Amino acid sequence: MDYNQFKKRYAASGRDISRTVFLKNQGVIRIKKEKTAVINLDKIFAAVFSITYTKGYQAMSMRDLSLKTGMSLGALYAYFPGKDELLAIMQTQAQAMVRGTLEEFSNAQDNPLEKLRAVVKAHIFLSELFRPWFYFTFMEARNLTSKGFDAVKSIEEHTQKILSDILVAGEKACVFKPGNHDLTACMIKAMQQEWYLKRWKYTKQKISVDQFAAHVLEMVEGFCLAPSCENI
Amino acid sequence: MDYNQFKKRYAASGRDISRTVFLKNQGVIRIKKEKTAVINLDKIFAAVFSITYTKGYQAMSMRDLSLKTGMSLGALYAYFPGKDELLAIMQTQAQAMVRGTLEEFSNAQDNPLEKLRAVVKAHIFLSELFRPWFYFTFMEARNLTSKGFDAVKSIEEHTQKILSDILVAGEKACVFKPGNHDLTACMIKAMQQEWYLKRWKYTKQKISVDQFAAHVLEMVEGFCLAPSCENI
DNA sequence: GTCTATACACAGATAGAC
DNA sequence: GTCTATCTGTGTATAGAC
């Protein structure tokens, strides 16, 4: 599976995220018409990403957001109760999306090696498709309440567990070498994160997502595969 | 070399950084007595790290800093011209420190494999010794001016080059496999960064720096070593 | 549903006494 | 070298017209 196939198969867009946010937060969003709400939420999220990419969330003022979206301050406050809550809403949504997708790709395979490949690639491809969401989640996690930050840690541990479980199962099946699978899972996550944290580097070096994902897998397999399996 | 040996051999502390900052910035620091300046700069830096670790630099107010250091607002402004300049001073200092140390450890070895081990470990150990500085540099790089941010990118590329040069030399000496050495260097950097970016994870899992560094090297060597050398 | 106008809290920074 | 007091701009948020 390469990135283009992933994109077609997954077939979700920023617009879908905005719709989900609207449906899940009707309690706090004062706008009632779905169509209006979704269009404007989309505009708001895009503006947040564009502004915070260089300044960070704290440095983004509501006036910045008003200017970038073309909406007035008063209008913005009809879409979320306050600046902090907007951050919380966005973080929660991003977490739900990652959780759902990885579970889906993990369950689609049986063989441990195929499962590992599917999950590692899915995470990288997903982070490419929703790059602003991933970057934002990582960089702004600190600004959440401690409960919100715990949720971020929890999803980090969850995705780590998905990987280490695959490694453990693979060891039992004599496909992977024994070792500290938790630490290996952490290393895999570190490499995956690199893709959306330092995107400027890969743009500059002209490395594509597919090349990047392939290299991560090469390293992981080079290290994890049991000697007898190295020519599978 | 383990972390304790590194610490003894390197023998630098936060206090030394404060002294260097004082000496290099006498043009903008209004305090003239070295002893006073160094003590208080040390207090200021510690306070900045403690406050920004959870809130980020933008969210830290000068009043926060005044409270944490026990110094008044007026006194603080005698140590740096403004909040933005304080950030720039700290970032510049951190960059100089990393550059110097890695060069030193890279030049101390001849054999490519030993060189790789020395540089990879040195970076991880250095990031442990000056963890707050490393975390701060990464997380607050966005708040710099674009010229300042270019400097951050430049040091990232510089340390990547140190690694890829070693890999290239090792390939010529038939110690390392051929491959995309730049991408491999990026992966190594990603794993190293993990140590100071997600410290909470490793504290929780009770992984020591030495264990972490050993695992990174295991992965790197597992991938990079040429087949004939695997039992060196 | 969106706007303008405004409240009022708090930010960074400085002056001048000690 | 450090303090207190204060200036001035900007921040988030809301009220009420349209």
Side-chain angles (χ1 to χ4, degrees):
Chain A
M1 183 180 57
D2 67 13
Y3 178 59
N4 273 321
Q5 292 172 304
F6 173 86
K7 221 160 72 177
K8 274 182 203 150
R9 173 166 159 198
Y10 190 69
S13 70
R15 186 57 62 93
D16 298 304
I17 298 188
S18 303
R19 180 164 292 111
T20 313
V21 168
F22 171 72
L23 295 172
K24 280 197 187 167
N25 294 279
Q26 278 176 308
V28 294
I29 296 177
R30 290 214 308 272
I31 311 299
K32 292 303 160 203
K33 272 206 293 193
E34 172 169 334
K35 204 181 157 191
T36 317
V38 172
I39 291 176
N40 283 328
L41 280 174
D42 223 44
K43 246 197 289 188
I44 292 169
F45 295 153
V48 169
F49 292 142
S50 139
I51 298 167
T52 60
Y53 184 71
T54 41
K55 300 216 284 189
Y57 194 77
Q58 287 276 357
M60 175 191 80
S61 72
M62 291 299 292
R63 285 181 176 90
D64 289 338
L65 195 56
S66 159
L67 220 82
K68 196 80 168 184
T69 54
M71 299 162 72
S72 69
L73 277 175
L76 286 176
Y77 278 96
Y79 287 82
F80 47 85
K83 203 188 162 195
D84 292 347
E85 286 86 345
L86 173 60
L87 175 62
I89 288 172
M90 291 178 72
Q91 287 270 1
T92 307
Q93 186 48 39
Q95 287 161 30
M97 176 193 65
V98 173
R99 258 204 159 83
T101 309
L102 291 195
E103 222 101 297
E104 189 188 322
F105 277 84
S106 165
N107 294 334
Q109 301 285 344
D110 269 339
N111 175 305
L113 179 56
E114 287 307 321
K115 209 167 187 165
L116 183 68
R117 285 177 180 159
V119 172
V120 170
K121 275 194 182 175
H123 196 171
I124 295 175
F125 290 161
L126 191 66
S127 77
E128 171 68 9
L129 193 56
F130 295 113
R131 196 190 332 153
W133 287 93
F134 274 76
Y135 186 80
F136 184 81
T137 312
F138 185 92
M139 295 302 281
E140 311 300 348
R142 284 194 295 181
N143 299 321
L144 289 167
T145 57
S146 77
K147 208 187 110 205
F149 193 63
D150 286 345
V152 174
K153 288 181 187 170
S154 144
I155 193 165
E156 168 88 20
E157 283 165 339
H158 177 70
T159 52
Q160 178 184 324
K161 183 107 191 353
I162 291 179
L163 289 168
S164 63
D165 281 350
I166 297 175
L167 294 173
V168 170
E171 182 187 340
K172 275 195 192 131
C174 292
V175 184
F176 298 139
K177 282 197 297 196
N180 188 334
H181 297 313
D182 266 314
L183 255 179
T184 306
C186 290
M187 299 296 103
I188 296 175
K189 283 196 64 59
M191 291 190 274
Q192 291 173 326
Q193 239 149 24
E194 175 82 0
W195 179 250
Y196 57 89
L197 285 186
K198 307 223 204 87
R199 191 47 192 285
W200 59 271
K201 244 169 90 168
Y202 301 100
T203 307
K204 198 170 175 185
Q205 295 182 34
K206 294 193 177 127
I207 309 270
S208 71
V209 215
D210 289 309
Q211 279 176 281
F212 185 88
H215 203 268
V216 170
L217 275 175
E218 253 187 84
M219 282 202 75
V220 173
E221 291 179 22
F223 177 70
C224 293
L225 282 182
S228 57
C229 308
E230 268 186 2
N231 31 22
I232 283 179
Chain B
M1 183 181 57
D2 66 13
Y3 178 58
N4 273 321
Q5 292 172 304
F6 173 86
K7 222 161 70 178
K8 274 182 204 151
R9 173 166 159 198
Y10 191 68
S13 70
R15 186 58 62 92
D16 297 305
I17 299 188
S18 302
R19 180 163 294 110
T20 312
V21 169
F22 171 72
L23 296 172
K24 279 197 189 167
N25 294 279
Q26 277 176 309
V28 294
I29 296 177
R30 289 213 308 272
I31 311 298
K32 292 302 161 204
K33 273 206 293 192
E34 172 170 333
K35 203 181 157 191
T36 318
V38 172
I39 290 176
N40 283 328
L41 279 174
D42 223 45
K43 247 198 286 189
I44 291 169
F45 295 153
V48 169
F49 293 141
S50 140
I51 297 166
T52 60
Y53 184 72
T54 42
K55 300 215 287 189
Y57 194 78
Q58 288 276 357
M60 175 192 79
S61 71
M62 291 299 291
R63 284 173 176 86
D64 288 338
L65 195 56
S66 159
L67 220 82
K68 197 78 165 184
T69 52
M71 298 162 74
S72 70
L73 277 175
L76 287 175
Y77 279 95
Y79 287 83
F80 46 86
K83 203 188 161 194
D84 291 347
E85 287 87 345
L86 173 59
L87 175 62
I89 288 172
M90 290 178 73
Q91 288 269 2
T92 307
Q93 185 48 40
Q95 286 161 29
M97 176 192 65
V98 173
R99 260 204 158 84
T101 308
L102 291 195
E103 222 101 298
E104 189 188 322
F105 276 85
S106 165
N107 294 333
Q109 301 285 344
D110 269 339
N111 174 306
L113 179 56
E114 286 309 319
K115 209 166 185 164
L116 183 69
R117 285 178 180 158
V119 171
V120 170
K121 274 194 182 175
H123 196 171
I124 295 175
F125 290 160
L126 191 66
S127 77
E128 170 67 10
L129 192 56
F130 295 112
R131 197 190 330 154
W133 287 93
F134 275 75
Y135 186 80
F136 184 81
T137 312
F138 185 91
M139 295 302 281
E140 312 299 348
R142 284 195 294 182
N143 299 321
L144 290 167
T145 57
S146 77
K147 207 188 110 205
F149 193 63
D150 286 346
V152 173
K153 287 181 186 168
S154 144
I155 192 165
E156 168 88 18
E157 283 165 337
H158 177 70
T159 53
Q160 179 185 322
K161 185 107 192 351
I162 292 179
L163 288 169
S164 64
D165 281 351
I166 298 175
L167 294 172
V168 170
E171 182 187 339
K172 274 193 192 133
C174 292
V175 184
F176 298 140
K177 282 196 299 196
N180 188 334
H181 297 313
D182 266 314
L183 255 180
T184 306
C186 290
M187 299 296 104
I188 296 174
K189 282 196 64 59
M191 291 191 273
Q192 291 173 326
Q193 239 149 24
E194 175 83 0
W195 179 250
Y196 57 89
L197 285 185
K198 307 224 203 87
R199 190 48 192 284
W200 59 270
K201 244 169 90 168
Y202 300 99
T203 307
K204 199 171 174 182
Q205 294 181 36
K206 294 191 178 131
I207 309 269
S208 70
V209 216
D210 289 310
Q211 279 177 280
F212 185 89
H215 202 268
V216 170
L217 275 175
E218 253 187 84
M219 283 201 75
V220 173
E221 292 180 21
F223 177 71
C224 293
L225 281 183
S228 58
C229 310
E230 268 187 2
N231 31 22
I232 282 179

